[in-house]
Amino acid sequence: MLKKSSKKPTIFFCEKVYDAVKKIPRGRVATYAYIAVRCGNSRACRAVGNALNKNRSKDVPCHRVIHADGSPGGYAWDSAKKVKILKEEGVRFQDNKIDSLCML
DNA sequence: GACCTGACTCAAC
DNA sequence: AGTTGAGCCAGGT
């Protein structure tokens, strides 16, 4: 049984990305690497960003996803707005970077 | 159907 | 400390 691979968990990955991002509590942020790890590969961070960038569903608080070094990263709608939203949610910023304490 | 790019990250130089 | 290269996944051209 088991027909050898035959298929890739492509859909799984993006689905997990949305699920993980949706689970981010308000006032908190997560790094792409964190989401990637949650999806199975810590190096799939690119796929995570790509999934959000191409899908950017309103159901997913993609603004809570930031770089690993604390930079707000990018935002398909408006990177500046992303920072603003995070501040509104209560995320602490340190020198234009998200405080590591707010990272999951 | 193959190649490249993209909201990334880590390690080495 | 800043720059460069390599690694991963998915979608678009």
Side-chain angles (χ1 to χ4, degrees):
Chain A
M1 42 228 306
L2 252 24
K3 202 87 82 27
K4 167 85 124 32
S5 60
S6 95
K7 88 234 269 57
K8 296 170 359 151
T10 55
I11 174 73
F12 285 167
F13 198 87
C14 71
E15 287 285 310
K16 283 188 155 204
V17 171
Y18 305 135
D19 194 45
V21 175
K22 283 195 238 176
K23 280 170 185 163
I24 301 173
R26 180 178 162 288
R28 223 102 205 153
V29 295
T31 62
Y32 288 97
Y34 183 85
I35 304 297
V37 160
R38 210 96 168 128
C39 295
N41 292 333
S42 56
R43 289 177 180 144
C45 37
R46 271 159 92 176
V48 175
N50 208 20
L52 293 172
N53 179 23
K54 300 291 164 57
N55 286 277
R56 61 187 193 219
S57 295
K58 278 282 198 164
D59 300 318
V60 182
C62 30
H63 61 263
R64 287 182 191 152
V65 186
I66 58 166
H67 284 193
D69 68 335
S71 297
Y75 198 46
W77 300 339
D78 199 343
S79 55
K81 192 170 197 161
K82 178 178 184 173
V83 177
K84 184 177 178 179
I85 295 169
L86 289 173
K87 284 184 178 178
E88 293 288 300
E89 302 233 332
V91 177
R92 304 252 186 205
F93 275 70
Q94 205 85 58
D95 190 32
N96 279 26
K97 288 200 179 122
I98 287 86
D99 191 338
S100 55
L101 300 174
C102 296
M103 296 185 194
L104 292 173

